[in-house]
Amino acid sequence: SDPWSKKAKGAWVAFGGYRRMCIGFTFALVELKAILISLLQRYRVELVDPKIDPGNMVEAGVNQPENHVMFRFVKHDAHAIAVENNLKWWGLKGSSSGPSQA
């Protein structure tokens, strides 16, 4: 007989589920968000080949695009971006947002 047939439904799911959900699940989500924010503050995410259509999402343990899509992380200068955003906000760089000049 198959030993996997005796496993509880959802036993293979990371962090479990329902009443038997791992108490670290919420902490892991917060940690994941913090890491993602940190990465996105330092890097810009680009498609390696923008011509590739990711296609439909398919489920294979996790949701993933039907076609292989490759990304590249490009480090950007956070200070230069902050200065540029401040200039735009103050109306010194041709932006409509910021304080009104009355």
Side-chain angles (χ1 to χ4, degrees), residues 33-95:
K33 288 176 187 178
I35 291 168
L36 186 59
I37 288 168
S38 179
L39 276 172
L40 293 177
Q41 285 175 336
R42 292 173 177 81
Y43 297 92
R44 186 178 67 245
V45 182
E46 297 178 345
L47 289 170
V48 171
D49 186 0
K51 296 174 193 151
I52 294 177
D53 177 25
N56 298 323
M57 296 299 284
V58 293
E59 187 175 334
V62 295
N63 288 336
Q64 63 185 27
E66 192 172 46
N67 302 323
H68 293 283
V69 179
M70 296 182 65
F71 295 96
R72 127 182 57 206
F73 288 86
V74 180
K75 190 164 179 64
H76 60 72
D77 185 3
H79 178 72
I81 290 172
V83 168
E84 184 176 331
N85 288 339
N86 282 332
L87 289 173
K88 284 180 184 176
W89 193 85
W90 286 103
L92 303 173
K93 197 161 181 170
S95 174

Side-chain angles (χ1 to χ4, degrees), residues 7-36:
K7 294 281 185 186
K9 183 179 179 183
W12 66 272
V13 177
F15 297 106
Y18 309 107
R19 293 180 303 172
R20 298 182 184 275
M21 183 170 285
C22 176
I23 61 172
F25 176 71
T26 305
F27 175 71
L29 284 180
V30 170
E31 202 170 40
L32 179 65
K33 288 176 187 178
I35 291 168
L36 186 59

